[in-house]
Coordinates of all heavy atoms in Angstrom, one line a residue:
Y1 N 0.8 -1.2 0.0 CA 0.0 0.0 0.0 C 0.9 1.3 0.0 O 0.6 2.2 -0.7 CB -0.9 0.0 1.2 CG -1.4 1.3 1.8 CD1 -2.2 2.1 1.0 CD2 -1.1 1.7 3.1 CE1 -2.6 3.3 1.5 CE2 -1.6 2.9 3.6 CZ -2.3 3.7 2.8 OH -2.8 4.9 3.3
I2 N 1.9 1.3 0.8 CA 2.8 2.4 0.9 C 3.6 2.6 -0.5 O 3.7 3.7 -1.0 CB 3.8 2.2 2.0 CG1 3.0 2.3 3.4 CG2 4.9 3.3 2.0 CD1 3.9 2.0 4.6
Y3 N 4.1 1.5 -1.0 CA 4.8 1.6 -2.3 C 3.9 2.2 -3.4 O 4.4 3.0 -4.2 CB 5.3 0.2 -2.8 CG 6.3 -0.5 -1.9 CD1 6.2 -1.9 -1.7 CD2 7.3 0.2 -1.2 CE1 7.1 -2.6 -0.8 CE2 8.2 -0.5 -0.4 CZ 8.1 -1.8 -0.2 OH 9.0 -2.5 0.6
K4 N 2.7 1.7 -3.4 CA 1.8 2.1 -4.5 C 1.3 3.5 -4.4 O 1.2 4.2 -5.4 CB 0.6 1.1 -4.6 CG -0.4 1.4 -5.6 CD 0.1 1.2 -7.0 CE -1.1 1.4 -8.0 NZ -0.6 1.3 -9.4
F5 N 0.9 3.9 -3.2 CA 0.2 5.2 -3.0 C 1.0 6.3 -2.4 O 0.5 7.4 -2.2 CB -1.1 4.9 -2.2 CG -2.1 4.1 -2.9 CD1 -2.2 2.8 -2.7 CD2 -3.0 4.7 -3.8 CE1 -3.2 2.0 -3.4 CE2 -4.0 4.0 -4.5 CZ -4.1 2.6 -4.3
Y6 N 2.2 6.0 -2.1 CA 3.0 7.1 -1.4 C 3.1 8.4 -2.2 O 2.9 9.5 -1.6 CB 4.5 6.6 -1.1 CG 5.4 7.7 -0.7 CD1 5.4 8.1 0.7 CD2 6.2 8.3 -1.6 CE1 6.2 9.1 1.1 CE2 7.1 9.4 -1.1 CZ 7.1 9.8 0.2 OH 7.9 10.8 0.6
H7 N 3.3 8.3 -3.5 CA 3.5 9.5 -4.3 C 2.2 10.3 -4.4 O 2.2 11.5 -4.5 CB 4.0 9.1 -5.7 CG 5.4 8.6 -5.7 ND1 6.4 9.4 -5.5 CD2 5.9 7.4 -5.9 CE1 7.6 8.7 -5.5 NE2 7.3 7.5 -5.8
Y8 N 1.0 9.6 -4.3 CA -0.2 10.3 -4.3 C -0.4 11.1 -3.0 O -0.8 12.3 -3.0 CB -1.4 9.3 -4.4 CG -1.4 8.6 -5.8 CD1 -0.8 7.4 -5.9 CD2 -2.1 9.2 -6.9 CE1 -0.8 6.8 -7.2 CE2 -2.1 8.6 -8.1 CZ -1.5 7.4 -8.3 OH -1.5 6.7 -9.5
Y9 N 0.0 10.5 -1.9 CA -0.1 11.3 -0.6 C 1.0 12.4 -0.6 O 0.7 13.5 -0.2 CB 0.2 10.3 0.6 CG -1.0 9.5 1.0 CD1 -1.3 8.3 0.3 CD2 -1.8 9.9 2.0 CE1 -2.4 7.5 0.7 CE2 -2.9 9.1 2.4 CZ -3.2 7.9 1.7 OH -4.3 7.1 2.1
N10 N 2.2 12.1 -1.0 CA 3.3 13.0 -1.0 C 3.0 14.2 -1.9 O 3.4 15.4 -1.5 CB 4.6 12.3 -1.3 CG 5.8 13.2 -1.1 OD1 6.0 13.7 0.0 ND2 6.6 13.5 -2.1
D11 N 2.4 14.0 -3.0 CA 2.2 15.1 -4.0 C 1.0 16.0 -3.6 O 1.0 17.1 -4.2 CB 2.0 14.5 -5.4 CG 3.3 13.8 -6.0 OD1 4.3 14.0 -5.4 OD2 3.2 13.1 -7.0
H12 N 0.1 15.5 -2.8 CA -1.1 16.3 -2.6 C -1.3 16.7 -1.1 O -2.3 17.3 -0.8 CB -2.3 15.5 -3.0 CG -2.3 15.2 -4.5 ND1 -1.8 14.1 -5.1 CD2 -2.7 16.0 -5.5 CE1 -1.9 14.1 -6.4 NE2 -2.5 15.3 -6.7
L13 N -0.4 16.3 -0.2 CA -0.6 16.6 1.2 C 0.7 17.2 1.8 O 1.8 16.9 1.4 CB -0.9 15.4 2.0 CG -2.3 14.7 1.7 CD1 -2.3 13.4 2.5 CD2 -3.4 15.6 2.1
E14 N 0.5 18.1 2.8 CA 1.6 18.6 3.6 C 2.1 17.4 4.5 O 1.3 16.6 4.8 CB 1.2 19.8 4.4 CG 0.7 21.0 3.7 CD 0.2 22.1 4.6 OE1 0.5 22.0 5.8 OE2 -0.6 22.9 4.1
P15 N 3.4 17.4 4.8 CA 3.9 16.3 5.6 C 3.1 16.1 6.9 O 2.8 14.9 7.3 CB 5.3 16.7 6.0 CG 5.7 17.6 4.8 CD 4.4 18.3 4.4
R16 N 2.6 17.1 7.6 CA 1.9 17.0 8.9 C 0.5 16.4 8.7 O -0.1 16.0 9.6 CB 1.9 18.3 9.6 CG 3.2 18.7 10.1 CD 3.1 19.9 11.1 NE 4.5 20.3 11.6 CZ 5.0 19.7 12.6 NH1 4.4 18.7 13.3 NH2 6.2 20.0 13.0
K17 N 0.0 16.5 7.4 CA -1.4 16.0 7.2 C -1.4 14.7 6.5 O -2.4 14.1 6.2 CB -2.1 17.0 6.3 CG -2.4 18.4 7.0 CD -3.2 19.3 6.1 CE -3.5 20.6 6.8 NZ -4.2 21.6 6.0
N18 N -0.2 14.1 6.3 CA -0.1 12.8 5.7 C -0.4 11.7 6.7 O 0.4 11.4 7.6 CB 1.4 12.6 5.1 CG 1.5 11.4 4.2 OD1 0.7 10.5 4.4 ND2 2.5 11.4 3.3
D19 N -1.5 11.1 6.5 CA -2.0 10.0 7.5 C -1.6 8.6 7.1 O -2.1 7.7 7.7 CB -3.5 10.2 7.7 CG -4.3 10.0 6.4 OD1 -3.7 10.3 5.3 OD2 -5.4 9.6 6.4
M20 N -0.9 8.5 6.0 CA -0.6 7.1 5.4 C 0.1 6.2 6.5 O -0.4 5.1 6.7 CB 0.2 7.2 4.2 CG 0.9 5.9 3.7 SD 1.9 6.1 2.3 CE 0.7 5.7 1.0
I21 N 1.2 6.6 7.0 CA 2.0 5.8 7.9 C 1.2 5.5 9.2 O 1.4 4.4 9.8 CB 3.4 6.4 8.1 CG1 4.3 5.4 8.9 CG2 3.3 7.7 8.9 CD1 4.5 4.1 8.1
A22 N 0.5 6.4 9.7 CA -0.3 6.2 10.9 C -1.3 5.1 10.8 O -1.4 4.2 11.6 CB -1.0 7.5 11.4
W23 N -2.1 5.1 9.7 CA -3.0 4.1 9.5 C -2.4 2.7 9.2 O -2.9 1.7 9.6 CB -4.0 4.4 8.3 CG -4.9 5.6 8.6 CD1 -4.9 6.8 8.1 CD2 -5.9 5.6 9.7 NE1 -5.9 7.6 8.6 CE2 -6.5 6.9 9.6 CE3 -6.3 4.7 10.6 CZ2 -7.5 7.3 10.5 CZ3 -7.4 5.1 11.5 CH2 -7.9 6.3 11.4
A24 N -1.2 2.8 8.5 CA -0.5 1.5 8.2 C 0.0 0.8 9.4 O -0.2 -0.4 9.6 CB 0.7 1.8 7.2
L25 N 0.6 1.6 10.4 CA 1.1 1.1 11.6 C -0.1 0.6 12.5 O 0.0 -0.5 13.1 CB 1.9 2.1 12.4 CG 3.3 2.5 11.8 CD1 3.8 3.7 12.5 CD2 4.2 1.3 11.9
L26 N -1.2 1.3 12.6 CA -2.3 0.9 13.4 C -2.9 -0.4 12.8 O -3.2 -1.4 13.6 CB -3.4 2.0 13.4 CG -4.6 1.6 14.2 CD1 -4.3 1.4 15.7 CD2 -5.7 2.7 14.0
T27 N -3.0 -0.5 11.5 CA -3.5 -1.7 10.9 C -2.6 -2.9 11.2 O -3.0 -4.0 11.5 CB -3.6 -1.6 9.4 OG1 -4.4 -0.5 9.1 CG2 -4.1 -2.8 8.7
G28 N -1.3 -2.7 11.1 CA -0.3 -3.8 11.4 C -0.4 -4.3 12.9 O -0.4 -5.5 13.2
L29 N -0.6 -3.3 13.8 CA -0.7 -3.7 15.2 C -2.0 -4.5 15.5 O -2.0 -5.5 16.2 CB -0.6 -2.4 16.1 CG 0.7 -1.8 16.2 CD1 0.6 -0.4 16.9 CD2 1.7 -2.7 16.9
V30 N -3.1 -4.0 14.9 CA -4.4 -4.7 15.1 C -4.4 -6.1 14.6 O -4.8 -7.1 15.2 CB -5.6 -3.9 14.5 CG1 -6.8 -4.7 14.5 CG2 -5.7 -2.5 15.3
C31 N -3.8 -6.2 13.3 CA -3.8 -7.5 12.7 C -2.8 -8.5 13.4 O -3.1 -9.7 13.5 CB -3.4 -7.4 11.2 SG -4.6 -6.6 10.2
F32 N -1.7 -7.9 14.0 CA -0.8 -8.8 14.8 C -1.5 -9.3 16.0 O -1.4 -10.5 16.3 CB 0.4 -8.0 15.2 CG 1.4 -8.9 16.0 CD1 2.2 -9.8 15.4 CD2 1.3 -8.8 17.4 CE1 3.1 -10.6 16.2 CE2 2.2 -9.6 18.2 CZ 3.0 -10.5 17.5
A33 N -2.3 -8.5 16.6 CA -3.1 -8.9 17.8 C -4.0 -10.1 17.5 O -4.2 -11.0 18.2 CB -3.8 -7.7 18.4
I34 N -4.7 -10.0 16.3 CA -5.6 -11.0 15.9 C -4.8 -12.3 15.6 O -5.2 -13.4 16.0 CB -6.3 -10.6 14.6 CG1 -7.3 -9.4 14.9 CG2 -7.1 -11.7 14.0 CD1 -7.9 -8.8 13.7
V35 N -3.7 -12.2 14.9 CA -2.8 -13.4 14.6 C -2.3 -14.0 15.9 O -2.3 -15.3 16.1 CB -1.6 -13.0 13.7 CG1 -0.7 -14.2 13.6 CG2 -2.1 -12.6 12.4
F36 N -2.0 -13.2 16.9 CA -1.5 -13.7 18.2 C -2.6 -14.5 18.9 O -2.4 -15.6 19.5 CB -1.0 -12.6 19.1 CG -0.4 -13.1 20.4 CD1 0.6 -14.0 20.5 CD2 -1.0 -12.6 21.6 CE1 1.1 -14.5 21.7 CE2 -0.5 -13.0 22.8 CZ 0.6 -14.0 22.9
A37 N -3.8 -14.0 18.9 CA -5.0 -14.6 19.5 C -5.2 -16.0 18.8 O -5.5 -17.0 19.4 CB -6.2 -13.8 19.4
L38 N -5.1 -16.0 17.4 CA -5.2 -17.3 16.7 C -4.1 -18.2 17.1 O -4.3 -19.5 17.1 CB -5.2 -17.0 15.2 CG -6.5 -16.3 14.7 CD1 -6.3 -15.9 13.2 CD2 -7.7 -17.2 14.8
G39 N -2.9 -17.7 17.3 CA -1.8 -18.5 17.7 C -2.0 -19.2 19.0 O -1.6 -20.4 19.2
I40 N -2.6 -18.5 19.9 CA -3.0 -19.1 21.2 C -4.0 -20.3 21.0 O -3.9 -21.3 21.6 CB -3.6 -18.1 22.2 CG1 -2.5 -17.0 22.5 CG2 -4.1 -18.7 23.5 CD1 -3.0 -15.8 23.3
A41 N -5.0 -20.0 20.2 CA -6.0 -21.0 19.9 C -5.5 -22.3 19.3 O -6.0 -23.4 19.5 CB -7.1 -20.4 19.1
F42 N -4.5 -22.1 18.4 CA -4.0 -23.2 17.6 C -2.6 -23.8 18.1 O -1.9 -24.5 17.4 CB -3.9 -22.9 16.1 CG -5.2 -22.7 15.4 CD1 -5.7 -21.5 15.2 CD2 -5.9 -23.8 15.0 CE1 -6.9 -21.3 14.6 CE2 -7.1 -23.7 14.3 CZ -7.6 -22.4 14.2
E43 N -2.3 -23.5 19.4 CA -1.0 -23.9 19.9 C -1.0 -25.5 20.0 O 0.0 -26.1 19.7 CB -0.9 -23.4 21.4 CG 0.4 -23.9 22.0 CD 0.5 -23.6 23.5 OE1 -0.5 -23.1 24.0 OE2 1.5 -23.9 24.1

């Protein structure tokens, strides 16, 4: 997602208004928590 859309964010937003990396990190953390829960279930 970052590779594909970075230039769209970078070309049309000020750095402080660029929300790309924040949503990407939050998504990664939430999905990791789900995977960890599944890991406990399938131990």
Side-chain angles (χ1 to χ4, degrees):
Y1 154 63
I2 293 171
Y3 297 142
K4 177 68 176 177
F5 290 96
Y6 170 81
H7 291 291
Y8 294 94
Y9 281 85
N10 189 58
D11 292 349
H12 296 95
L13 293 173
E14 298 174 19
R16 291 188 178 277
K17 294 182 178 180
N18 190 334
D19 58 334
M20 166 181 269
I21 189 62
W23 292 116
L25 287 172
L26 180 61
T27 301
L29 288 171
V30 171
C31 290
F32 178 82
I34 295 171
V35 172
F36 182 56
L38 291 172
I40 295 173
F42 288 99
E43 179 192 6

